[in-house]
C-alpha cells in the first residue's frame, strides 16, 4: 500500500477509535486509492486525503419533544456536512436508536463519493438522530420532526445543504420537516429537502429510485457477463423503501425476489415477491411501524426463519438492502459455498471489511459496491432539486430515463477507472477511484482549506 495512504488510515484509526463504522469506511475507500496516489504526487503535497477524511463541519444539537402523555424526552440530532467541494451538501437523515457520530460520519463520507459518482453537482452530508420511531404515534412523530427542524433550519438551504430521507425518515417525516422549515423561514424554498410529496414539489419516481437504480446497475453487470435478468432469483434483505423498489422493478423484468428480512428474521417465498398485492403489502408492513417481516409470511404462507439472515439461501443474486454490516464473514462463506456469482451491495456499507475482501478475492464472484449501486436514490434527489429550481415537474418517463442513463454511466465510469489502473473488472475499486477523482480535482482547484 502507498505509504501516504497508510499514514492517513492510521491517523483515522487512532483519532476515531470510538467510531468504528467511520474507520471501517475510510479503510475500505482509501485502500482502493493507492494506485491513484502513486500516480499523483500533487495529491500528497496538498495533503488531500487527511483533508478528505475530516468532515468540513459536524453539527450536533438537542431535540426535545413531548409524547402523547405529556412526558418530555430529549434526543440528540446531528448533521455532518462532510464535503462541499462539488456542490451543496446533500444526503439523508436517519432516525434510529443506534445513531451516534460514528454512524453519521461513515454515512457522510460514503455519501461524498456516491454523490460524486452520480455526475451531478452535489456534495456529501448525512444527519439524523438517536430518536427511535418504533411505536410512536403520528402526532409524536410530527412533534419530534418539528423540534428537529427548529434546531436544524439555520444550517440548511437549497444552496447550502439539502437533507432527505434514510432509515426511519420517509415521505411523512419529510412533510413535517418541510412544514416546519416553511413556518420558521416564511419562504417557499422547497428545494431545501428532497423526497417530498408530489403536491409540494416532490419528484415522480423518487420513492422507487434507489431500488430501480439498483436493478438498472445490476442489468449492466449482467450484460457485461452476457446474461439477462429474466428468470433470475434474488435474495434481498430489508423490507423498506429500497427493497420495495427492487421488488417492483425485478417483477417487471421477470426476476424473482425470494427473500426479505427484518429485525425479527427473514422470509422465503419461492414464488417471489412478484405480485402487485405482495409488493404493495410491503408498504403496509412498513407503515404499520411494527418493524416485523413475519407479517408477510403469515399473510402469504411463506416460510419464516426467526432470528436468521437470508444469506444461506441458494439464489442467483444477493442484494443486501437493509443496513450496515448485514453480511459478515460467516455469511460471505455461505454465499461462496453456494457458488453465487453476483454480490450486489445496496444498503450503505452492508458488508464487513473482512467479508468484502473475501468475496472480492474469490474467483467467480462479482462484487458491486453500494456507493455505486444505490446512487440512483440521491441522483433522483438531485433531479428533484433541478425541478424545484426550474419551478416545473418532469414526467415519470423523463425521470426514469435520466435514472437509467445515470446508472449506466456510473457502471461505465467505475469499470473504466479500474481498467485505467490495471485492476480489471473491479467495480469496488473503480467506484472509489472515479468518485474520488472529481472531488479531488475540485478541492485542488479551490485551494488549501
Ligand atoms: N439516504 C439516501 C442515500 O443514502 C438518499 C439521500 C438523498 O436523497 O439525499 O443516498
Amino acid at each position: 500500500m502507498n505509504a501516504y495512504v497508510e499514514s492517513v488510515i492510521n491517523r483515522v484509526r487512532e483519532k476515531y477509535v470510538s467510531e468504528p463504522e467511520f474507520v471501517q469506511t475510510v479503510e475500505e475507500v482509501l485502500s482502493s486509492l493507492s494506485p491513484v496516489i502513486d500516480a499523483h504526487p500533487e495529491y500528497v503535497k496538498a495533503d488531500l486525503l487527511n483533508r478528505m477524511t475530516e468532515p468540513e463541519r459536524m453539527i450536533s444539537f438537542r431535540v426535545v419533544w413531548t409524547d402523547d402523555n405529556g412526558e418530555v424526552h430529549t434526543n440528540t440530532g446531528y448533521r455532518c456536512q462532510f464535503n462541499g467541494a462539488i456542490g451543496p451538501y446533500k444526503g439523508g437523515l436517519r432516525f434510529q436508536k443506534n445513531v451516534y457520530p460514528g454512524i453519521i460520519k461513515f454515512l457522510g463520507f460514503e455519501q461524498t463519493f456516491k454523490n460524486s459518482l452520480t455526475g451531478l453537482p452535489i456534495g456529501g452530508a448525512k444527519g439524523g438522530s438517536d430518536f427511535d420511531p418504533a411505536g410512536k404515534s403520528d402526532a409524536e412523530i410530527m412533534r419530534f420532526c418539528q423540534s428537529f427542524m427548529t434546531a436544524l433550519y439555520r444550517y440548511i438551504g437549497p444552496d447550502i445543504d439539502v437533507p432527505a430521507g434514510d432509515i426511519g425518515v420517509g415521505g411523512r417525516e419529510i412533510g413535517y420537516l418541510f412544514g416546519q422549515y416553511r413556518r420558521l423561514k416564511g419562504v417557499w424554498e422547497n428545494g431545501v429537502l428532497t423526497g417530498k410529496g408530489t403536491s409540494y414539489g416532490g419528484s415522480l419516481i423518487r420513492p422507487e429510485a434507489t431500488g430501480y437504480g439498483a436493478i438498472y446497475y445490476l442489468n449492466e453487470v449482467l450484460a457485461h457477463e452476457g446474461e439477462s435478468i429474466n428468470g433470475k432469483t434474488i435474495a434481498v434483505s430489508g423490507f423498506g423503501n429500497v427493497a420495495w423498489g427492487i421488488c417492483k422493478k425485478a417483477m417487471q423484468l421477470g426476476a424473482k425476489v425470494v427473500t426479505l428480512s427484518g429485525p425479527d428474521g427473514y422470509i422465503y417465498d419461492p414464488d417471489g415477491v412478484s405480485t402487485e398485492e405482495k409488493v404493495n403489502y410491503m408498504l403496509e408492513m412498513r407503515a404499520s411501524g411494527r418493524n416485523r417481516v413475519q407479517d408477510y409470511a403469515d399473510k402469504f404462507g411463506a416460510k419464516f426463519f426467526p432470528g436468521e439472515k437470508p444469506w444461506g439461501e441458494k439464489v442467483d443474486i444477493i442484494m443486501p438492502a437493509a443496513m450496515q454490516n448485514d453480511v459478515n464473514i460467516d455469511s460471505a462463506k455461505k454465499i461462496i459455498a453456494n457458488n453465487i456469482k453476483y454480490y450486489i451491495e445496496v444498503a450503505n456499507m452492508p458488508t464487513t471489511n473482512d467479508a468484502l475482501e473475501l468475496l472480492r478475492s474469490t474467483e467467480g464472484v462479482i462484487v458491486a459496491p453500494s456507493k455505486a449501486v444505490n446512487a440512483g436514490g440521491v441522483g433522483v434527489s438531485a433531479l428533484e432539486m433541478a425541478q424545484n429550481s426550474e419551478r416545473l415537474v418532469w414526467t415519470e418517463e423523463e425521470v426514469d430515463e435520466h435514472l437509467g442513463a445515470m446508472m449506466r454511466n456510473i457502471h461505465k465510469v467505475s469499470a473504466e477507472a479500474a481498467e485505467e489502473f490495471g485492476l480489471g473488472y473491479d467495480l469496488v475499486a473503480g467506484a472509489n477511484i472515479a468518485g474520488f477523482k472529481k472531488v479531488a480535482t475540485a478541492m485542488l482547484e479551490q485551494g488549501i482549506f
Side-chain angles (χ1 to χ4, degrees):
M1 191 185 292
N2 176 288
Y4 174 62
V5 172
E6 207 172 336
S7 79
V8 177
I9 291 178
N10 283 332
R11 169 191 155 267
V12 172
R13 273 188 192 138
E14 269 172 42
K15 183 165 176 182
Y16 293 103
V17 85
S18 58
E19 298 180 9
E21 296 84 358
F22 178 51
V23 174
Q24 184 183 338
T25 181
V26 168
E27 283 173 349
E28 190 274 306
V29 172
L30 264 54
S31 59
S32 293
L33 299 180
S34 273
V36 190
I37 300 298
D38 286 340
H40 290 275
E42 71 276 20
Y43 292 168
V44 183
K45 190 150 183 283
D47 196 22
L48 213 60
L49 293 184
N50 277 311
R51 291 162 59 199
M52 281 182 82
T53 49
E54 192 62 29
E56 288 185 14
R57 203 166 294 102
M58 176 71 174
I59 302 152
S60 106
F61 44 88
R62 185 174 70 196
V63 186
V64 183
W65 57 283
T66 307
D67 69 21
D68 291 343
N69 300 318
E71 227 178 278
V72 177
H73 299 267
T74 304
N75 287 99
T76 313
Y78 302 96
R79 187 70 179 166
C80 178
Q81 298 176 335
F82 214 108
N83 193 305
I86 66 168
Y89 306 107
K90 180 89 197 83
L93 299 171
R94 177 175 292 193
F95 292 169
Q96 202 175 26
K97 244 192 332 221
N98 64 1
V99 162
Y100 80 107
I103 299 262
I104 299 297
K105 270 183 220 153
F106 117 63
L107 289 164
F109 186 72
E110 280 284 297
Q111 198 83 40
T112 301
F113 292 81
K114 177 200 314 198
N115 292 6
S116 165
L117 279 172
T118 66
L120 296 166
I122 40 178
K126 206 80 185 195
S129 174
D130 57 359
F131 171 74
D132 180 9
K136 302 291 186 296
S137 72
D138 192 60
E140 288 170 335
I141 297 281
M142 181 181 76
R143 287 195 295 275
F144 178 81
C145 288
Q146 290 177 339
S147 186
F148 185 90
M149 184 53 88
T150 304
L152 182 67
Y153 87 98
R154 65 189 70 242
Y155 305 110
I156 61 176
D159 293 313
I160 302 170
D161 181 357
V162 182
D166 196 82
I167 295 171
V169 178
R172 173 181 62 165
E173 289 73 17
I174 293 294
Y176 294 145
L177 291 164
F178 177 67
Q180 186 69 356
Y181 181 86
R182 193 167 71 76
R183 276 170 89 190
L184 288 164
K185 287 204 73 179
V187 291
W188 180 261
E189 283 178 346
N190 64 352
V192 69
L193 290 169
T194 61
K196 298 181 292 293
T198 47
S199 62
Y200 61 101
S203 176
L204 292 167
I205 306 286
R206 177 63 190 88
E208 290 89 348
T210 310
Y212 280 18
I215 294 286
Y216 294 154
Y217 188 99
L218 168 66
N219 269 338
E220 294 306 295
V221 177
L222 290 168
H224 182 271
E225 298 302 298
E227 292 193 53
S228 136
I229 190 167
N230 190 25
K232 294 271 190 299
T233 53
I234 310 177
V236 167
S237 66
F239 69 99
N241 155 66
V242 176
W244 167 75
I246 290 175
C247 290
K248 238 177 124 166
K249 186 50 80 179
M251 175 174 79
Q252 287 169 18
L253 301 179
K256 266 200 291 197
V257 173
V258 293
T259 71
L260 298 172
S261 75
D264 54 332
Y266 83 92
I267 62 100
Y268 179 79
D269 182 348
D271 301 328
V273 188
S274 306
T275 64
E276 293 274 336
E277 193 195 358
K278 288 175 175 176
V279 171
N280 290 338
Y281 186 67
M282 291 176 72
L283 297 177
E284 251 179 73
M285 271 199 306
R286 178 54 58 196
S288 79
R290 287 157 59 82
N291 207 12
R292 269 162 49 106
V293 79
Q294 191 184 352
D295 293 357
Y296 181 99
D298 293 346
K299 185 166 168 80
F300 298 109
K303 265 201 230 153
F304 176 65
F305 299 85
E308 282 187 55
K309 292 184 189 283
W311 311 132
E313 293 292 346
K314 209 169 162 42
V315 290
D316 299 312
I317 298 158
I318 300 275
M319 297 183 91
M323 64 176 83
Q324 67 275 1
N325 294 330
D326 195 15
V327 178
N328 62 19
I329 193 85
D330 293 329
S331 314
K333 285 179 186 158
K334 287 184 197 162
I335 291 166
I336 292 165
N338 277 333
N339 279 317
I340 298 172
K341 180 169 177 188
Y342 299 102
Y343 182 76
I344 312 292
E345 291 190 334
V346 189
N348 294 309
M349 200 169 75
T351 322
T352 61
N353 279 357
D354 52 351
L356 188 63
E357 262 169 51
L358 178 65
L359 288 159
R360 285 179 69 189
S361 61
T362 301
E363 186 129 7
V365 179
I366 295 182
V367 178
S370 55
K371 65 173 69 66
V373 177
N374 75 25
V378 74
V380 171
S381 275
L383 302 180
E384 184 171 326
M385 290 161 70
Q387 293 170 71
N388 293 157
S389 67
E390 290 178 339
R391 300 248 189 280
L392 48 76
V393 177
W394 297 357
T395 63
E396 212 172 297
E397 290 71 29
E398 280 174 307
V399 179
D400 204 20
E401 201 172 296
H402 269 89
L403 172 61
M406 192 186 311
M407 298 316 297
R408 285 192 292 279
N409 192 54
I410 292 172
H411 175 267
K412 180 166 172 276
V413 299
S414 302
E416 283 171 1
E419 204 59 62
E420 184 190 335
F421 290 94
L423 302 170
Y425 188 55
D426 183 342
L427 296 170
V428 176
N432 286 331
I433 294 169
F436 167 76
K437 272 193 144 177
K438 185 171 165 193
V439 179
T441 306
M443 286 178 73
L444 275 189
E445 290 181 0
Q446 291 172 31
I448 306 280
F449 68 99

